Amino acid sequence: MQLQSALQFSHTLLEQVVNPGDVVVDATAGMGHDTLKLAQLVGPTGHVYSFDIQAPAVTATKAKLAEAGYHNATVLQQGHERLDETVAGPISAAIFNLGYLPRGDHALITQPATTLTALQKCLGLLAPEGVVVVVCYYGHPGGATEKTAVLGWAAQLPQADFNVLQYQFLNQVHEPPILLAIQKR
Ligand SMILES: C[S@@+](CC[C@H](N)C(=O)[O-])C[C@H]1O[C@@H](n2cnc3c(N)ncnc32)[C@H](O)[C@@H]1O
């Protein structure tokens, strides 16, 4: 057994919590890896709502779904802070990959205010035992500010309502990503 990277562990958590027929959210579509994973998990009777502010991300995510033959996702070029305009709960899971689009414009990063708004909205849509997973990359300019905001927000969530897990390799060089998993009790 090898300990999983934050990215691998994010998918392990999704596999545990998402069932066929569920409604779920990918808040940061990017190249569509998480959207495809969620589309596989919810199956033809479920639905994935996927958000990104960048047209190339939306195009890439739609192409990835089409190539794999999935028709159970709505991919929107829209900020995740407005997700409640489209998504009606309950959702069993939401995933956020914070940072910039790899091989994209590194200036287009997730931002603390909009990230926190979207996270809070996801908590409001969560089904009991549903999970919001956050993979936080913070080595880029602006990343540390967002990391501090997200960790601070997560740490003050009431224990009676949510279990909050932090997962990170402490001895890795550079800035190893932090995974947060927030489960509604
Ligand atoms: C680290 S990447 C996501 C990677 C993605 N999960 C994948 O599988 O490739 C972060 C993404 O968040 C997007 N983003 C930034 N601000 C956003 C916002 N307000 N709403 C939705 N997406 C946003 C960026 O455009 C970027 O594509």
Side-chain angles (χ1 to χ4, degrees), residues 27-31 33-34 52-54 79-81 97 99-101 110:
T28 52
M31 297 304 292
H33 300 108
D34 295 335
D52 205 291
I53 53 171
Q54 297 192 57
H80 44 218
E81 61 276 12
N97 267 226
Y100 57 80
L101 181 63
T110 51

Side-chain angles (χ1 to χ4, degrees), residues 18 24 33 56 59 162:
V18 177
V24 295
H33 300 108
T59 302
F162 299 99

Side-chain angles (χ1 to χ4, degrees), residues 4 11 24-25 30 39 41 44 46 59 77 80 98 103 151 178 182:
Q4 294 189 312
H11 281 203
V24 295
V25 168
L41 292 172
T59 302
Q77 187 179 354
H80 44 218
L98 305 180
R103 292 186 291 280
L151 289 181
I178 299 170
I182 303 163

Side-chain angles (χ1 to χ4, degrees), residues 35-66:
T35 298
L36 178 59
K37 179 70 182 179
L38 289 169
Q40 291 164 344
L41 292 172
V42 301
T45 57
H47 204 81
V48 186
Y49 291 95
S50 184
F51 298 87
D52 205 291
I53 53 171
Q54 297 192 57
V58 170
T59 302
T61 299
K62 285 182 175 173
K64 195 171 240 66
L65 290 164

